[in-house]
Structures are given as C-alpha cells and as structure tokens.
C-alpha cells in the first residue's frame, strides 16, 4: 500500500473503544489525520480488507499509505514514529514495562467481560458480573491514590482504558452494580480523564453506547 496518500489516516468505527484510543493519542500528540469511518455492520471496505487482511477489523492507522494494525501497537507506533511529540509511555524502562502490562490487562479483560454481561443471562451473566467487579477492583488497586495510572501525567494506560469508561453505564445496567459505589477512586479517575479535551472529543455519551448495545443485541438475536 506504499505510495498511496501521504500523512495519517485512521480507519475506525464511531463507538469503538479501540479506535477511540487512537483518536485520543493523536489528539494528545497534536497530530492531524483523516478520519475514515468504516461500515462494520454491513460490507467492510476494500481499503480495510487490504489494510488489515489478517483480522479484517479496525482500527488501522495508515501512515503514508502503510498500515499499522491493533490499537496498542498503534499507540506504540505513534510514540516511536513521532519522537518530537509528547510521549504516552514513560522514559524509564521499568515504568514502561509496567504501563505495557496494565494496558495489556485492560485489553484482555474489560471489553470481553463487559460483552459477556450484555450477551448472557442467568448464571453465566452472574459469573461475568463477579469477574467484572474483580477486574475493576484490581485496576483501582493499581491506580491507588495517583491522579493517573502513570502518576501525575496522563499516559499510556489512561489512553488504553479511558474509552471503556463510556461503557460503564451499560455494564452497570446489565450487571446491576455501580462503579462509583464499588470503585470510587476509579470513578473519580474516569471523571478527571473525561475533562481532557482529547477524551471529551473522542468519546460518545454513555447513553449512546447503551443504545448501540441494543442494536447489537437485535443483530445477534439476543432478547
């Protein structure tokens, strides 16, 4: 795909928390890009299929026509490809390793468990609720009394996790719990992050996310 349009393009889907990570990172770095909304509910575009032939999913960052796939890899790439811009990862090797660990934890745990909350019923849903509460408490334990996951600076783990806060309302409704009651420090962190311009412009209201889950449930035949 080399030799195609110069600059940065983001193949994305409006409500995707994984795409929103990339939008927040690009905003934090002040990098201009072209947003290319993809139709994931119908026919996937030829551009997406060519850019990500392995997984055939968003987000994909095109840099001078060359594709970079997977949201956390895109965040790493932006740090390395634009070293003159504010870094998401800390400079200390140990701190970097810790940031990667917790971003990976978010990646593997939160969205998958949340999906089971709205897809399942009965005992499987109750198990998903139990797991979600454990996940959120674990993340709150890591956050502790810090302003952000990396300390005073908004960084890699915050960017990885904050898009999923727009899904909290849905998780609460399907799981019948309150994030603010169970994890008040995590709820306060989410509010702090939401006040950042990069986050506010990238996320959609929680009610819109809840409506989208309703669309997904109908599409999957879930009552």
């Amino acid at each position: 795909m080399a030799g195609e349009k110069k600059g940065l393009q983001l193949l994305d889907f409006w409500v995707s928390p994984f795409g929103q990570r990339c939008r927040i990172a690009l905003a934090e770095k002040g990098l201009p890009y072209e947003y290319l909304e993809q139709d994931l509910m119908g026919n996937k575009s030829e551009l997406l299929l060519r850019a990500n032939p392995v997984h055939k999913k968003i987000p994909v960052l095109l840099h001078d026509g060359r594709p970079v796939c997977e949201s956390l890899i895109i965040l790493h790439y932006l740090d390395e490809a634009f070293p003159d811009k504010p870094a998401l990862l800390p400079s200390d090797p140990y701190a970097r390793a810790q940031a990667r660990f917790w971003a990976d934890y978010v990646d593997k745990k939160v969205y998958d468990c949340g999906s089971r909350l709205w897809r399942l019923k009965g005992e499987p849903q109750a198990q998903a609720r139990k797991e979600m509460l454990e996940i959120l408490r674990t993340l709150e334990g890591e956050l502790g009394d810090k302003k952000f996951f990396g300390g005073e600076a908004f960084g890699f783990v915050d960017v990885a996790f904050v898009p999923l806060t727009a899904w909290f309302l849905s998780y609460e409704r399907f799981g019948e719990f309150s994030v603010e009651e169970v994890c008040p420090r995590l709820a306060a962190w989410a509010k702090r992050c939401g006040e950042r311009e990069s986050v506010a412009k990238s996320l959609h209201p929680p009610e819109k996310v809840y409506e989208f889950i309703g669309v997904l449930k109908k599409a999957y035949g879930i009552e």
Side-chain angles (χ1 to χ4, degrees):
M1 299 184 69
E4 296 190 14
K5 183 166 179 175
K6 295 293 184 182
L8 295 169
Q9 297 171 296
L10 184 66
L11 281 61
D12 202 352
F13 182 64
W14 68 276
V15 76
S16 168
F18 306 103
Q20 288 165 348
R21 289 172 173 173
C22 303
R23 287 177 243 164
I24 292 167
L26 288 159
E28 287 287 328
K29 291 176 178 293
L31 293 168
Y33 65 98
E34 181 183 5
Y35 179 87
L36 299 174
E37 177 76 6
Q38 301 297 299
D39 179 10
L40 301 186
M41 309 298 283
N43 295 319
K44 294 183 180 181
S45 71
E46 284 297 317
L47 179 58
L48 176 59
L49 297 177
R50 281 187 291 123
N52 191 356
V54 176
H55 296 304
K56 303 178 178 62
K57 64 182 184 179
I58 56 91
V60 179
L61 180 75
L62 296 174
H63 187 190
D64 296 341
R66 299 187 302 172
V68 182
C69 304
E70 299 293 308
S71 60
L72 292 185
I73 293 174
I74 291 170
L75 299 192
H76 282 286
Y77 178 80
L78 290 172
D79 261 7
E80 294 171 355
F82 301 94
D84 58 322
K85 299 296 183 180
L88 299 174
L89 281 160
S91 57
D92 175 71
Y94 182 76
R96 289 168 74 89
Q98 292 300 302
R100 289 189 177 107
F101 174 87
W102 286 107
D104 186 64
Y105 180 85
V106 168
D107 219 35
K108 290 177 177 174
K109 296 287 188 178
V110 181
Y111 186 79
D112 174 69
C113 187
S115 296
R116 284 186 281 128
L117 271 178
W118 61 261
R119 282 175 181 262
L120 303 176
K121 297 287 186 182
E123 182 56 34
Q125 187 187 51
Q127 181 60 35
R129 178 187 187 277
K130 180 182 175 183
E131 287 180 33
M132 178 60 80
L133 293 176
E134 289 175 358
I135 291 165
L136 294 177
R137 287 179 178 128
T138 297
L139 286 162
E140 179 169 78
E142 170 57 21
L143 176 65
D145 294 322
K146 300 190 297 287
K147 185 176 181 181
F148 298 109
F149 275 89
E152 285 298 307
F154 182 80
F156 193 76
V157 181
D158 305 294
V159 175
F161 187 16
V162 74
L164 288 157
T165 62
W167 295 68
F168 280 1
L169 175 68
S170 298
Y171 299 161
E172 289 174 333
R173 288 180 177 174
F174 289 108
E176 297 182 346
F177 66 88
S178 163
V179 174
E180 190 166 11
E181 289 179 8
V182 176
C183 298
R185 288 180 296 184
L186 200 61
W189 162 84
K191 185 178 180 182
R192 275 195 299 278
C193 290
E195 292 168 352
R196 295 183 74 83
E197 184 178 1
S198 65
V199 175
K201 286 187 173 182
S202 300
L203 303 192
H204 290 272
E207 286 287 354
K208 293 288 290 182
V209 176
Y210 183 74
E211 289 172 13
F212 175 72
I213 290 176
V215 172
L216 288 180
K217 285 168 71 75
K218 286 183 181 177
Y220 293 131
I222 301 169
E223 295 300 331

